[in-house]
Amino acid sequence: MVAISYEGVDMGILDLFKPNVEKMKAKKDVKGLIKALKYKRDQDVRRYAALTLGEIGDARAVEPLIQALKEENKGIRWNAVGALDKLGWKPEDDIEKALYLIAKEEWDKLVRLGEPAVEPLIQALKDKDINVRRGAAETLGKIGDARAVEPLTQSLKDGDKDVRRNSTRALGKIGEPAVEPLMMALKDKDVDVRKRAAETLGEIGDARAVEPLTQALKDEDGDVRWNAVGALDKLGWKPEDDIEKALYLIAKEEWDKLVKLGEPAVEPLIQALKDKDINVRRGAAETLGKTGDARAVEPLIQALKEENEDIRRNAALALGEIGNAKAVEPLIQALKDGDRYVRRYTTWALGGIGEPAVESLILILKDKDNYFRSRAAETLGGIGEPAVEPLIQALKDKDVDVRKIAAETLGEIGDARVVEPLIQSLKDEDGDVRRNAEVALGKIRDVRAVEPLAQALKDEDCDVRWKVAGALDKLSWKPEDDIEKAYYLIAKEQWDKLVKLEEPAVESLIQALKDKDIDVRKRAAEVLIGIGKPAVERLIQALKNKDRYVRKYTAWILGEIGDIMALEPLNKALNDGDNLVRKALKVALEKIQGKET
């Protein structure tokens, strides 16, 4: 017989030679229909041919229809069964009966059929239809024949989860004969096979499975390990040593017990940092920190680069708990992490490492990134005493931001050694540095700061003065005289109380006329007007002040007070070089002269 190749042939032409089942049906062409039942190029033709043969009812069709029960297409098998029923056919043996029942999916009858059904059911495990495969797997389990073990083990790889589940249960029901193949399946490349194998070995309960299940505790897949643990528990297994115990506890994710286990758990936990399961990696990182073992430092440093932010957070915290200096530079880089909780935990970690981290953190105070600097300062504050001397040196840094942060951080630490350096910072050229130094001294509450702070009430910056007054309040300071009290009240901006002080407040109020804050200048002027005559003599002297704002406001105040003593000094001042001052002088003269008339 010559083999025919259809390669390169137009399939449309071949369709011209496709069996015409309708014509054969009309002619009751049984031979043609039997031939059409074997037409491989078109399943619809075969399916229709089987149906038609049943309708015609010719006994010659029985044998071909029996063969059709083995067809891989479920529809053809179903039509063949229907046709055979119409022909009144009865199976001649149990094999034919099994094929017939599989085609009809009558699984309970197949169970009753028993051993003869096993081989056909094994073939059905490869069927294209998932319902057939599911039924075949479940039925083989109920029959319990050992011949089904290997095929069912292969079905653990099936793409359908219900087929895999039914195969697992079936192997469990078969029991002892399935143990060896299942033990081998624990090493299968397919994770589902390993997972189902572990589960099933637990169901069977054979002691031979203990060793391979113990090895499965090292499996790369968490579900396999979990099933292995469950199986071992059912077998009443106990770890032979601490390494086995550690692997068992990692599989169960019982992290607190691993901490109690201590040193033997470290290497298995380090391996767990590479696990595919995020929860395992996260738990391993946290637990390694609690063990405090230095062997975990390098692996945890690598974990700072993990994609998952939870793992990076736990790695940072763990490195802080271990407190090894090797972690300082990687943790400092982690302060730039995109996740704010990673940055926060990194800050805590560096604080936990303490003194070894100080030098690097001081350098960060010069970083251009403001947030980075503030995190470093926060960490230094948390480190406390070991950071004091480097921070004192930082008060002299050329960079104003470094000085500012250093002053603030020293206040948080509160060490007595910082008082004198902070007092010196009250003279810093930058207002923010002075302000932070004042706040810091207020927090420390050392009496040595009282006198310098009292002097700082005269600071040109109103915000600085406000902070100074607050610091003095914390030190329970009281002014020694009315002049000090005036400077204090200006700092606190308690203007009504200044009016009551009268003359002792004048000098400080005149100084306030040149304040950078326009509101302070206006309020000081209003208070001087309110004081009135007691302020005139000193205001006349202020007409010669170098500051043009002082001269301008002084002229306006004298005009508002209206004392004739000011006329001559105001006239003499008319040659002032500043146009705005001259205008204010003329207005003041007009007001006083107007009152005279």
Side-chain angles (χ1 to χ4, degrees):
M1 184 175 179
V2 180
I4 299 173
S5 171
Y6 295 106
E7 186 177 354
V9 177
D10 186 343
M11 300 308 288
I13 295 172
L14 289 176
D15 284 343
L16 295 172
F17 300 99
K18 182 168 70 174
N20 190 322
V21 177
E22 284 290 343
K23 286 184 179 181
M24 293 177 187
K25 181 180 179 180
K27 294 179 180 180
K28 296 187 177 180
D29 182 1
V30 174
K31 286 185 178 180
L33 287 166
I34 290 171
K35 188 176 180 181
L37 191 60
K38 301 174 184 178
Y39 185 68
K40 298 296 182 183
R41 289 190 58 240
D42 194 319
Q43 293 180 359
D44 289 335
V45 169
R46 300 205 306 279
R47 189 161 47 238
Y48 193 21
L51 181 67
T52 305
L53 284 167
E55 291 173 354
I56 292 172
D58 193 298
R60 288 175 293 171
V62 169
E63 186 57 36
L65 285 167
I66 292 170
Q67 292 302 311
L69 294 175
K70 301 176 185 177
E71 274 277 358
E72 64 178 19
N73 183 277
K74 180 179 177 178
I76 296 170
R77 295 197 303 268
W78 182 259
N79 283 0
V81 162
L84 287 166
D85 285 345
K86 287 180 180 180
L87 286 161
W89 170 83
K90 299 295 179 187
E92 291 185 1
D93 54 41
D94 286 340
I95 297 297
E96 282 186 354
K97 186 175 183 180
L99 292 169
Y100 173 80
L101 292 173
I102 289 170
K104 293 193 80 172
E105 297 183 27
E106 293 185 351
W107 307 113
D108 290 340
K109 290 181 181 180
L110 282 157
V111 175
R112 289 196 290 272
L113 182 60
E115 183 273 335
V118 172
E119 289 299 335
L121 283 167
I122 287 171
Q123 291 303 310
L125 286 174
K126 302 173 186 176
D127 200 271
K128 290 182 178 180
D129 186 85
I130 57 171
N131 289 317
V132 172
R133 299 200 305 277
R134 289 172 184 171
E138 184 177 3
T139 306
L140 283 166
K142 291 178 179 178
I143 293 171
D145 193 293
R147 287 174 293 169
V149 169
E150 184 57 36
L152 284 168
T153 303
Q154 291 303 310
S155 286
L156 297 177
K157 302 178 184 180
D158 196 280
D160 180 72
K161 66 177 182 178
D162 289 327
V163 173
R164 296 195 300 270
R165 184 181 62 237
N166 289 0
S167 298
T168 300
R169 290 174 177 172
L171 287 164
K173 289 178 179 178
I174 292 170
E176 187 274 335
V179 172
E180 291 291 340
L182 285 168
M183 285 163 55
M184 294 300 295
L186 286 173
K187 299 177 182 178
D188 198 277
K189 291 180 180 180
D190 190 303
V191 66
D192 281 322
V193 172
R194 301 198 305 275
K195 185 166 62 178
R196 301 294 175 188
E199 181 184 359
T200 308
L201 285 167
E203 295 295 332
I204 294 171
D206 193 297
R208 289 174 294 168
V210 167
E211 181 56 33
L213 284 168
T214 304
Q215 291 301 310
L217 294 175
K218 301 176 185 177
D219 196 280
E220 64 181 17
D221 183 80
D223 288 335
V224 175
R225 295 194 301 268
W226 181 259
N227 285 2
V229 160
L232 288 166
D233 285 346
K234 287 178 181 178
L235 286 161
W237 170 84
K238 299 294 179 187
E240 290 186 0
D241 54 43
D242 285 340
I243 297 297
E244 279 189 353
K245 186 174 183 180
L247 292 169
Y248 173 82
L249 292 173
I250 288 169
K252 293 194 81 172
E253 298 183 25
E254 293 187 349
W255 308 112
D256 290 340
K257 290 182 180 179
L258 282 156
V259 175
K260 292 176 184 176
L261 183 60
E263 185 273 336
V266 172
E267 289 299 336
L269 283 167
I270 287 171
Q271 291 305 309
L273 282 176
K274 302 172 186 175
D275 200 88
K276 291 179 178 179
D277 190 313
I278 286 175
N279 290 324
V280 173
R281 297 202 304 277
R282 184 166 53 213
E286 182 178 356
T287 308
L288 282 167
K290 292 177 180 177
T291 67
D293 196 296
R295 287 175 291 171
V297 172
E298 287 299 333
L300 285 168
I301 287 170
Q302 292 305 309
L304 288 174
K305 303 171 186 175
E306 266 271 8
E307 183 177 345
N308 182 272
E309 63 273 12
D310 283 337
I311 295 168
R312 299 200 304 276
R313 293 171 191 172
N314 284 6
L317 282 174
L319 287 166
E321 288 182 286
I322 294 170
N324 192 293
K326 289 181 181 178
V328 171
E329 289 305 320
L331 283 169
I332 283 172
Q333 292 305 309
L335 286 172
K336 297 179 180 179
D337 195 280
D339 180 81
R340 65 190 181 106
Y341 288 105
V342 173
R343 298 193 299 269
R344 181 178 296 177
Y345 296 163
T346 299
T347 300
W348 294 342
L350 286 165
I353 291 172
E355 190 170 358
V358 171
E359 186 176 344
S360 297
L361 288 165
I362 292 290
L363 290 174
I364 295 174
L365 296 181
K366 300 183 181 183
D367 196 273
K368 292 180 180 179
D369 188 322
N370 182 55
Y371 184 85
F372 199 27
R373 292 198 307 270
S374 64
R375 289 283 69 74
E378 181 184 338
T379 305
L380 286 164
I383 290 171
E385 189 274 333
V388 169
E389 289 299 334
L391 283 168
I392 287 172
Q393 292 302 311
L395 286 174
K396 302 173 186 176
D397 199 276
K398 292 179 180 179
D399 190 314
V400 66
D401 286 323
V402 174
R403 300 198 305 276
K404 183 168 64 176
I405 294 170
E408 182 180 5
T409 307
L410 285 168
E412 296 296 331
I413 295 173
D415 192 288
R417 288 173 291 170
V418 309
V419 173
E420 291 297 336
L422 285 170
I423 287 171
Q424 292 302 310
S425 290
L426 292 175
K427 302 172 185 176
D428 196 280
E429 63 184 18
D430 182 79
D432 287 336
V433 175
R434 297 197 304 274
R435 190 158 46 244
N436 285 3
E438 289 147 8
V439 172
L441 287 167
K443 287 181 179 179
I444 296 168
R445 301 187 184 185
D446 191 296
V447 294
R448 288 175 291 171
V450 170
E451 184 57 35
L453 284 169
Q455 290 300 312
L457 287 171
K458 301 176 182 178
D459 197 279
E460 64 183 17
D461 189 313
C462 63
D463 288 333
V464 172
R465 295 195 302 269
W466 178 266
K467 297 289 185 182
V468 168
L472 286 167
D473 286 344
K474 288 180 180 178
L475 287 161
S476 300
W477 171 82
K478 299 296 179 186
E480 290 186 359
D481 53 40
D482 285 344
I483 292 175
E484 268 192 354
K485 187 175 183 180
Y487 280 109
Y488 172 79
L489 292 173
I490 289 171
K492 299 276 283 188
E493 298 184 15
Q494 294 180 355
W495 306 107
D496 292 342
K497 293 181 180 180
L498 280 158
V499 176
K500 296 174 183 177
L501 272 184
E502 294 192 339
E503 189 176 353
V506 172
E507 184 60 39
S508 57
L509 287 165
I510 289 172
Q511 291 300 314
L513 293 176
K514 58 182 177 183
D515 199 271
K516 292 178 180 178
D517 189 309
I518 188 170
D519 188 60
V520 171
R521 297 198 300 269
K522 286 181 177 179
R523 296 304 299 272
E526 289 170 1
V527 174
L528 284 165
I529 293 167
I531 292 172
K533 191 172 179 66
V536 171
E537 188 174 338
R538 184 62 192 89
L539 285 166
I540 288 170
Q541 293 174 14
L543 288 172
K544 299 175 182 178
N545 197 285
K546 291 181 179 180
D547 190 286
R548 67 176 186 141
Y549 286 111
V550 174
R551 300 198 304 276
K552 185 182 81 169
Y553 277 106
T554 297
W556 176 63
I557 294 164
L558 286 168
E560 293 296 317
I561 293 172
D563 194 301
I564 59 171
M565 282 179 58
L567 284 174
E568 185 178 346
L570 287 167
N571 273 308
K572 286 182 179 179
L574 285 172
N575 61 353
D576 196 284
D578 187 282
N579 186 46
L580 289 175
V581 175
R582 291 197 302 273
K583 285 183 179 179
L585 287 164
K586 289 175 182 178
V587 170
L589 283 166
E590 288 173 2
K591 278 193 175 185
I592 296 171
Q593 289 166 350
K595 287 180 182 179
E596 279 191 311
T597 59

